Amino acid sequence: MTAVPPLAALGPYFATLSGPVPAGFRPLRELSAPDGPLAGRVAEVARVLGTDEARVAASTAHLGLAARLWSVALGAAVATGRLPDLDGARFALPPQGPFDLWLPSDDGPDASPGALHALVMDGHLHPLAAAVRALTPLAAGLLAGNAASALVGAARQLAAVPPLRVPAAALARELLAFPDLAAAGAVTPPGGPLAFRRASCCLYYRAPSGGLCGDCVFTRAPKSRP
């Protein structure tokens, strides 16, 4: 494996902590627990966005959390060939920005598309989507679109590291072929830059200062904003 710079250099979504578990950090699976911090996170996102639409805040919060998980997991997979131990991970959720993530010192198993999908989608993003939908009604396809968009965003960030550009794009394409992501949008074929167009909208355009994301299904924001 070609040596690469620390992934934390790509930004806070890729940064992790190690060593002794910091005080106040909780098991990562509690992020989706009924009594977990998700409702508080959604409420804070609503306040920051200045929206009274719970589904807009819930979708935006979900997209940010998905981006954090994909960044760490995809980054580890392409940089080290191993999966991070998310099952043993612990987190702290600040009011804004990516959550702090502590990982055990030992890596997980060898990275493969199936193992990475099982780790992130089955282990964390499917439970997180269910927890979000328990808070506010959002279409399953919208949340799948968020997961796919977050995956592609992580791969494109990793492309800033030349040795990781090709493996990150290739692995993202393989993951987007899994049934729970395949209908989320259209991805460019191999051989060119990785690009993605969603089949859904994350609803960010409905926030007072929002707009369309680069991969949105819409080419212009709908006029109606009830």
Side-chain angles (χ1 to χ4, degrees), residues 6-197:
L7 293 178
L10 294 175
Y13 279 84
F14 291 86
T16 59
L17 302 172
S18 59
V21 180
F25 276 54
R26 306 166 60 175
L28 183 57
R29 291 191 180 279
E30 291 186 10
L31 186 61
S32 303
D35 59 347
L38 183 60
R41 176 70 163 206
V42 171
E44 179 61 16
V45 170
R47 185 193 69 79
V48 171
L49 292 179
T51 181
D52 58 2
E53 286 195 77
R55 63 193 186 121
V56 175
S59 175
T60 303
H62 173 264
L63 183 55
L65 297 172
R68 179 67 160 127
L69 290 170
W70 275 127
S71 297
V72 170
L74 186 69
V78 297
T80 71
R82 305 290 294 274
L83 298 181
D85 183 6
L86 293 183
D87 291 337
R90 291 179 173 265
F91 79 103
L93 192 61
Q96 300 178 39
F99 60 85
D100 298 319
L101 185 64
W102 174 90
L103 292 176
S105 58
D106 294 334
D107 290 327
D110 290 346
S112 68
L116 182 55
H117 177 273
L119 175 68
V120 178
M121 290 300 298
D122 296 337
H124 295 279
L125 289 186
H126 286 320
L128 181 62
V132 169
R133 296 185 74 192
L135 291 175
T136 187
L138 283 172
L142 182 155
L143 296 176
N146 283 356
S149 180
L151 166 61
V152 174
R156 295 180 71 177
Q157 284 289 103
L158 288 164
V161 182
L164 303 184
R165 181 181 296 115
V166 172
L171 185 51
R173 286 191 173 94
E174 290 188 83
L175 290 162
L176 289 167
F178 279 79
D180 52 359
L181 294 175
V187 63
T188 52
L194 177 66
F196 176 73
R197 176 68 65 180

